PDB file of all heavy atoms in Angstrom:
ATOM      1  N   VAL A1700       7.157  -8.539 -13.494  1.00  0.00           N
ATOM      2  CA  VAL A1700       5.728  -8.612 -13.819  1.00  0.00           C
ATOM      3  C   VAL A1700       5.568  -9.508 -15.051  1.00  0.00           C
ATOM      4  O   VAL A1700       6.230  -9.232 -16.060  1.00  0.00           O
ATOM      5  CB  VAL A1700       5.138  -7.193 -14.100  1.00  0.00           C
ATOM      6  CG1 VAL A1700       3.678  -7.308 -14.483  1.00  0.00           C
ATOM      7  CG2 VAL A1700       5.337  -6.314 -12.890  1.00  0.00           C
ATOM      8  N   PRO A1701       4.791 -10.540 -14.991  1.00  0.00           N
ATOM      9  CA  PRO A1701       4.657 -11.446 -16.131  1.00  0.00           C
ATOM     10  C   PRO A1701       4.274 -10.710 -17.408  1.00  0.00           C
ATOM     11  O   PRO A1701       3.375  -9.886 -17.417  1.00  0.00           O
ATOM     12  CB  PRO A1701       3.551 -12.435 -15.704  1.00  0.00           C
ATOM     13  CG  PRO A1701       3.588 -12.348 -14.229  1.00  0.00           C
ATOM     14  CD  PRO A1701       3.933 -10.940 -13.889  1.00  0.00           C
ATOM     15  N   GLY A1702       4.986 -11.005 -18.482  1.00  0.00           N
ATOM     16  CA  GLY A1702       4.660 -10.424 -19.761  1.00  0.00           C
ATOM     17  C   GLY A1702       5.173  -8.998 -19.917  1.00  0.00           C
ATOM     18  O   GLY A1702       4.974  -8.373 -20.957  1.00  0.00           O
ATOM     19  N   GLU A1703       5.815  -8.441 -18.844  1.00  0.00           N
ATOM     20  CA  GLU A1703       6.254  -7.057 -18.905  1.00  0.00           C
ATOM     21  C   GLU A1703       7.749  -6.916 -18.751  1.00  0.00           C
ATOM     22  O   GLU A1703       8.255  -5.882 -18.363  1.00  0.00           O
ATOM     23  CB  GLU A1703       5.557  -6.272 -17.782  1.00  0.00           C
ATOM     24  CG  GLU A1703       4.062  -6.106 -17.978  1.00  0.00           C
ATOM     25  CD  GLU A1703       3.748  -5.318 -19.276  1.00  0.00           C
ATOM     26  OE1 GLU A1703       4.307  -4.233 -19.448  1.00  0.00           O
ATOM     27  OE2 GLU A1703       3.017  -5.854 -20.086  1.00  0.00           O
ATOM     28  N   ARG A1704       8.488  -7.952 -19.040  1.00  0.00           N
ATOM     29  CA  ARG A1704       9.933  -7.911 -18.801  1.00  0.00           C
ATOM     30  C   ARG A1704      10.643  -6.906 -19.710  1.00  0.00           C
ATOM     31  O   ARG A1704      11.715  -6.429 -19.347  1.00  0.00           O
ATOM     32  CB  ARG A1704      10.506  -9.339 -18.982  1.00  0.00           C
ATOM     33  CG  ARG A1704       9.935 -10.304 -17.963  1.00  0.00           C
ATOM     34  CD  ARG A1704      10.569 -11.653 -18.059  1.00  0.00           C
ATOM     35  NE  ARG A1704       9.976 -12.592 -17.103  1.00  0.00           N
ATOM     36  CZ  ARG A1704      10.368 -13.833 -16.927  1.00  0.00           C
ATOM     37  NH1 ARG A1704      11.378 -14.287 -17.602  1.00  0.00           N
ATOM     38  NH2 ARG A1704       9.765 -14.598 -16.041  1.00  0.00           N
ATOM     39  N   ASP A1705      10.082  -6.626 -20.855  1.00  0.00           N
ATOM     40  CA  ASP A1705      10.714  -5.711 -21.778  1.00  0.00           C
ATOM     41  C   ASP A1705       9.975  -4.413 -21.907  1.00  0.00           C
ATOM     42  O   ASP A1705      10.321  -3.583 -22.738  1.00  0.00           O
ATOM     43  CB  ASP A1705      10.819  -6.342 -23.166  1.00  0.00           C
ATOM     44  CG  ASP A1705      11.652  -7.636 -23.119  1.00  0.00           C
ATOM     45  OD1 ASP A1705      12.672  -7.654 -22.422  1.00  0.00           O
ATOM     46  OD2 ASP A1705      11.259  -8.621 -23.799  1.00  0.00           O
ATOM     47  N   ARG A1706       8.967  -4.185 -21.044  1.00  0.00           N
ATOM     48  CA  ARG A1706       8.189  -2.950 -21.106  1.00  0.00           C
ATOM     49  C   ARG A1706       8.007  -2.380 -19.711  1.00  0.00           C
ATOM     50  O   ARG A1706       8.114  -3.088 -18.723  1.00  0.00           O
ATOM     51  CB  ARG A1706       6.805  -3.195 -21.718  1.00  0.00           C
ATOM     52  CG  ARG A1706       6.852  -3.655 -23.167  1.00  0.00           C
ATOM     53  CD  ARG A1706       5.491  -3.560 -23.794  1.00  0.00           C
ATOM     54  NE  ARG A1706       4.508  -4.461 -23.148  1.00  0.00           N
ATOM     55  CZ  ARG A1706       3.213  -4.399 -23.363  1.00  0.00           C
ATOM     56  NH1 ARG A1706       2.713  -3.455 -24.108  1.00  0.00           N
ATOM     57  NH2 ARG A1706       2.400  -5.264 -22.799  1.00  0.00           N
ATOM     58  N   GLY A1707       7.741  -1.110 -19.646  1.00  0.00           N
ATOM     59  CA  GLY A1707       7.525  -0.491 -18.338  1.00  0.00           C
ATOM     60  C   GLY A1707       6.196  -0.901 -17.748  1.00  0.00           C
ATOM     61  O   GLY A1707       5.325  -1.439 -18.426  1.00  0.00           O
ATOM     62  N   ASN A1708       5.995  -0.637 -16.463  1.00  0.00           N
ATOM     63  CA  ASN A1708       4.714  -0.895 -15.835  1.00  0.00           C
ATOM     64  C   ASN A1708       4.547   0.070 -14.679  1.00  0.00           C
ATOM     65  O   ASN A1708       5.471   0.703 -14.220  1.00  0.00           O
ATOM     66  CB  ASN A1708       4.646  -2.332 -15.361  1.00  0.00           C
ATOM     67  CG  ASN A1708       5.634  -2.640 -14.257  1.00  0.00           C
ATOM     68  OD1 ASN A1708       5.404  -2.320 -13.078  1.00  0.00           O
ATOM     69  ND2 ASN A1708       6.784  -3.236 -14.622  1.00  0.00           N
TER      70      ASN A1708
END
Side-chain angles (χ1 to χ4, degrees):
V1700 178
E1703 291 299 307
R1704 298 184 182 184
D1705 299 320
R1706 296 194 295 168
N1708 65 81

